[in-house]
Amino acid sequence: MARPRKPLLSRDRIVETAGALVDAEGLAALSTRRLAAELGVSGPSLYNHFRTKDEILDAVADAVSAKIDLSMFAADDPRDWRTALHDWAVSYRAALADHPHIVPVLAQGPGRRPAGLRVADAVFGAMVRAGWPPAQATYIGALMRYFVTGSALGSFARGFVDDETAYDPAAYPHLGQAHLLAERRRQVDEGAFETGLRALLDGLAGQYASRVTGSRDPSAAAEG
């Protein structure tokens, strides 16, 4: 009787298995030896597809970046730059929230990762097309990455224990409801993200309006 064949080893299978391992146990759990065992192959066979563990992590991170919606930055999309940034940031955070353990890798920037570079290209291109100077468009891309990855690195609400006795009113008179935060984690964390995002976009909109107004002021042009 023929023995069942093992699934062929491929880059996609390696990335999928590595991603599942990181999602379940964190970055420290990933090693080439552990990954090979999960795949049912010998360690050296991984090197036919990836030279190092860091290359595997890069591929896992890029697979997450590929899930971020970029449709709002298409040239024919009717959304203005502010709405586009808002909708993209929500999609960006959702992708990271599904894979929180890979966020430290993504926070380092795209490097040579194709999907990550497509994200950077889409954001920068859309901001320049909207009228932002290239330098400012770069700052906006950086600012958004700082904000979104920072929000995805951990839960504010989950950082408070749900034990009411931990919050002695004599020592912490304003934390009488802090023990309720953990059970309301999603509401608190999503509310904080949306509040921060809108404040950030309000600030950018003010800068944009000032820039446009200034560019129409002959005296400002003369000074510049």
Side-chain angles (χ1 to χ4, degrees):
M1 195 173 168
R3 297 177 62 185
R5 295 178 60 187
K6 292 181 180 178
L8 291 176
L9 193 61
S10 66
R11 284 181 65 92
D12 287 347
R13 186 170 168 237
I14 293 170
V15 172
E16 181 180 357
T17 303
L21 182 57
V22 170
D23 283 346
E25 301 182 33
L27 289 170
L30 183 65
S31 67
T32 53
R33 178 178 296 181
R34 173 73 185 280
L35 181 57
E38 293 286 331
L39 290 162
V41 300
S42 63
S45 63
L46 297 176
Y47 299 117
N48 293 325
H49 300 276
F50 295 97
R51 290 175 298 176
T52 64
K53 185 183 85 169
D54 285 343
E55 283 193 0
I56 297 172
L57 277 174
D58 262 356
V60 172
D62 215 36
V64 174
S65 292
K67 298 177 181 180
I68 301 170
D69 182 14
L70 299 177
S71 63
M72 65 288 296
F73 296 130
D76 59 352
D77 191 280
R79 283 170 279 193
D80 61 20
W81 67 266
R82 176 183 170 139
T83 305
L85 276 182
H86 175 275
D87 294 350
W88 168 68
V90 171
S91 173
Y92 189 0
R93 181 177 180 270
L96 301 194
D98 287 341
H99 308 279
H101 292 145
I102 201 67
V103 173
V105 178
L106 287 163
Q108 296 171 14
R112 296 177 181 271
R113 299 192 294 269
L117 289 170
R118 282 194 292 274
V119 172
D121 181 74
V123 176
F124 179 81
M127 294 304 102
V128 171
R129 194 164 59 246
W132 286 98
Q136 285 295 112
T138 299
Y139 301 155
I140 290 170
L143 171 63
M144 297 301 290
R145 180 159 64 84
Y146 298 154
F147 178 69
V148 177
T149 57
S151 73
L153 280 172
S155 164
F156 174 83
R158 192 176 283 168
F160 292 84
V161 298
D162 60 1
D163 179 2
E164 190 172 1
T165 65
Y167 307 101
D168 180 357
Y172 317 110
H174 306 296
L175 296 182
Q177 301 295 308
H179 64 286
L180 301 175
L181 289 173
E183 70 180 45
R184 300 173 184 174
R185 179 186 63 81
R186 181 171 179 176
Q187 175 186 349
V188 172
D189 291 346
E190 291 187 357
F193 176 78
E194 188 65 28
T195 298
L197 178 58
R198 290 188 181 280
L200 186 157
L201 294 174
D202 283 346
L204 288 176
Q207 290 185 31
Y208 186 83
S210 296
R211 185 189 62 78
V212 171
T213 302
S215 68
R216 294 174 180 172
D217 182 348
S219 63
E223 292 171 3

